[in-house]
Amino acid sequence: MPRLAAADTLRIPAFRYFWGGYSLTTLANQMRMMIIAWLVLDLTNSQLWVGLVNGLPAFAIAAFALTGGVLVDRSGPKKTLVRVRLTTAVTALATALLVTTGKANVGHLLVLTLLASGVNGMDIVASQISLMRLVGRDRLLNALSLTRVANNFSQIVG
């Protein structure tokens, strides 16, 4: 009876924890993007601003991914992931405070979205490097496939 390679990869406890955290982080990012878009639409009623707040983060991800590679090389993927996720939490808290106090405007949301998306680019780099260390070269393709499944599922649900 053939064995599923993905199941073998999921038997690695460290990878299971990593995969669960990665799945939740990706889901949170998708929900954040949707919420910010709705807030901008509510504040401005402008398709242009909604397009900007949804489109500009792609540039931040690309730019910060390069910085993420340097950070991972200097401090390691684990420390980089912790820093990135803390920064993401701070941006989420700042967004929540601005919205609940009624002081949020499009400029605030755009800056916070660019920052959160930029550190997401660093998260992507650190996560990819962490995979190799967690599962080894022989299971890397399976681990990448599982993270892609988590990413696609999070996009659908988020």
Side-chain angles (χ1 to χ4, degrees):
M1 183 129 183
R3 293 179 4 176
L4 290 174
D8 285 342
T9 305
L10 284 170
R11 286 191 183 104
I12 301 170
F15 176 74
R16 276 197 313 267
Y17 292 128
F18 173 84
W19 190 63
Y22 178 82
S23 300
L24 291 174
T25 300
T26 306
L27 179 61
N29 280 329
Q30 293 301 318
M31 291 190 319
R32 177 189 50 80
M33 288 173 33
M34 181 62 72
I35 290 167
I36 295 294
W38 277 107
L39 278 169
V40 168
L41 183 63
D42 189 48
L43 288 171
T44 65
N45 201 23
S46 168
Q47 295 174 1
L48 176 66
W49 279 110
V50 173
L52 284 172
V53 86
N54 279 333
L56 286 178
F59 294 106
I61 289 171
F64 278 66
L66 298 172
T67 307
V70 173
L71 276 175
V72 169
D73 286 343
R74 290 192 177 167
S75 64
K78 185 176 180 179
K79 284 184 180 179
T80 303
L81 282 172
V82 169
R83 290 175 184 154
V84 161
R85 303 231 169 125
L86 282 173
T87 305
T88 303
V90 168
T91 60
L93 179 64
T95 304
L97 287 173
L98 285 170
V99 170
T100 55
T101 60
K103 300 203 188 278
N105 65 36
V106 177
H108 293 135
L109 296 175
L110 189 59
V111 168
L112 288 169
T113 299
L114 288 172
L115 181 61
S117 298
V119 294
N120 187 36
M122 292 181 190
D123 187 282
I124 292 167
V125 172
S127 295
Q128 297 277 327
I129 292 171
S130 296
L131 281 179
M132 176 79 122
R133 293 182 179 178
L134 287 175
V135 299
R137 188 175 293 273
D138 57 328
R139 292 187 176 139
L140 183 60
L141 188 58
N142 296 328
L144 287 171
S145 298
L146 285 167
T147 57
R148 196 72 211 142
V149 166
N151 193 19
N152 290 339
F153 183 74
S154 295
Q155 286 180 346
I156 293 167
V157 172

